[in-house]
Amino acid sequence: RLAPTTYDRYLECVNNRILPAFKFLRMDQIKPKHIINFLNNLEEDGIRMDGKKGQLSSSRVYYHYRVLNNIFNFAVELQIIKENPVKKIEKPKVEYKEPEIYTDEEVAQLLKCLEKETDVPHWQIIIKLAIITGMRRSELCGLEFKHFDYKNGVVHIQQALTYTKTKGYDIYPIRKGSRTARQRTVSLPKELLDEVEKLEKIRKVERFAKGRENLWMNGKYNFILAHEDGSPYHPRTVQRWWQRFIERHNLKYINLHALRHTSATLLIGLGVHAKTISERLGHSSTTVTMGTYGHAIREADKQATEKLNEILKQKRF
């Protein structure tokens, strides 16, 4: 029932925290008070396992709540227990923080620094795509040259790539009816498409010289982010390169995923309609877009009001 990456995260929660906390109780012995005590314990200082001080984030506490809720729901479905004790308690509150993003000026500075990285054209392309299209990391990792339509000036975002310890690399089509991500087609500037086409020609020569029999999975895939043998980059490699790039050029650090938020915020500031932004990002509906970027929309609305007010002032005189 779970995607491989979600399954791995569930196992991490179960093995590291849930089993140690409940291992001496049968499922039918676990009461709401036990769940409450467990969640309260996650909010105590020193509970982290990464060596950092402090407590787990509110979103992480809520994630453990979700895992427990799903486990007990499944137990009810299998008639192991009659009712789910998690249903009896109040959901943990999540403190949402506005994502840190780049401003117009910071994006311009980022692009200048990218141009200096002449020895890694694939990274130049990937970072530009992240800003222009708002693609997720898994979508960027799963991107192949065949997904680019040079004639019509678009990229087809159709598949994603993830890696888990249990399954290894997983390359899968983005489900059209998914609530979290959707296939879509996004327009690209000609300059960027020219860069992609140039890189594709270089890769064709390299792949031909190596021979199909020596390529990963006999050359079935032709990823932009790939080693010489055609094997895909590990998704963590993308984040690590990004961190080193930021340090090399002394840029403000934001998480790689925040480039997606930067893309959306820039579009909102330009007055692009929420439906268009929703489709570019692959959201299931404009409701998701409005909920995620409500702060940016409110700020854009405020700026629009100020501009209209300036026009009205001019009309008076």
Side-chain angles (χ1 to χ4, degrees), residues 117-134:
E117 305 274 329
T118 55
D119 58 328
V120 283
H122 53 286
W123 287 122
Q124 288 187 10
I125 291 168
I126 287 298
I127 300 303
K128 289 177 182 178
L129 283 170
I131 297 172
I132 292 173
T133 68

Side-chain angles (χ1 to χ4, degrees), residues 43-269:
E43 295 179 346
E44 294 179 0
D45 287 338
I47 197 68
R48 299 173 67 104
M49 295 181 174
D50 56 5
K52 297 180 181 179
K53 295 181 179 180
Q55 60 194 44
L56 293 183
S57 65
S58 59
S59 60
R60 193 63 180 161
V61 172
Y62 180 74
Y63 194 82
H64 282 78
Y65 166 87
R66 277 181 51 196
V67 173
L68 278 171
N69 188 47
N70 287 338
I71 288 172
F72 282 104
N73 275 339
F74 191 53
V76 171
E77 188 177 325
L78 296 178
Q79 297 183 355
I80 295 172
I81 55 177
K82 290 184 178 180
E83 58 180 359
N84 178 355
V86 181
K87 298 289 187 184
K88 303 288 185 179
I89 71 171
E90 187 177 346
K91 291 181 181 180
K93 293 182 179 179
V94 179
E95 297 177 4
Y96 290 102
K97 295 181 181 179
E98 292 184 8
E100 203 168 8
I101 60 171
Y102 283 141
T103 62
D104 299 27
E105 294 77 14
E106 288 168 335
V107 169
Q109 181 62 29
L110 167 66
L111 293 176
K112 284 183 181 179
C113 294
L114 267 179
E115 294 304 322
K116 298 175 183 178
E117 305 274 329
T118 55
D119 58 328
V120 283
H122 53 286
W123 287 122
Q124 288 187 10
I125 291 168
I126 287 298
I127 300 303
K128 289 177 182 178
L129 283 170
I131 297 172
I132 292 173
T133 68
M135 274 193 265
R136 301 170 178 85
R137 184 177 65 173
S138 59
E139 294 168 341
L140 291 168
C141 289
L143 199 59
E144 297 184 65
F145 289 102
K146 68 179 182 181
H147 296 136
F148 291 89
D149 183 343
Y150 303 117
K151 182 179 178 181
N152 294 305
V154 298
V155 58
H156 301 291
I157 304 169
Q158 299 176 331
Q159 71 181 19
L161 180 148
T162 57
Y163 180 89
T164 60
K165 293 179 181 178
T166 53
K167 192 173 181 179
Y169 286 108
D170 186 28
I171 304 151
Y172 54 92
I174 300 169
R175 290 177 292 175
K176 293 183 178 180
S178 172
R179 291 183 299 171
T180 55
R182 290 192 170 187
Q183 293 185 10
R184 66 261 191 213
T185 297
V186 179
S187 297
L188 293 177
K190 185 178 183 304
E191 294 81 2
L192 182 53
L193 282 166
D194 288 343
E195 291 180 39
V196 177
E197 190 171 19
K198 182 179 178 181
L199 180 61
E200 182 179 12
K201 290 177 180 177
I202 294 172
R203 290 284 177 83
K204 280 182 178 178
V205 174
E206 293 175 348
R207 287 165 67 88
F208 180 78
K210 199 161 190 69
R212 176 172 289 186
E213 67 280 1
N214 296 315
L215 292 175
W216 187 71
M217 294 188 70
N218 289 320
K220 180 180 179 180
Y221 298 99
N222 191 9
F223 299 110
I224 288 183
L225 291 178
H227 298 284
E228 288 185 5
D229 65 351
S231 60
Y233 279 6
H234 192 292
R236 286 183 184 173
T237 301
V238 183
Q239 181 65 32
R240 287 169 182 163
W241 181 88
W242 173 249
Q243 290 174 327
R244 292 195 300 269
F245 169 77
I246 293 295
E247 291 171 1
R248 274 198 304 274
H249 298 282
N250 197 28
L251 297 171
K252 181 182 85 175
Y253 178 79
I254 63 173
N255 190 283
L256 183 69
H257 188 75
L259 291 180
R260 175 174 168 83
H261 299 314
T262 297
S263 178
T265 305
L266 291 176
L267 291 172
I268 291 168

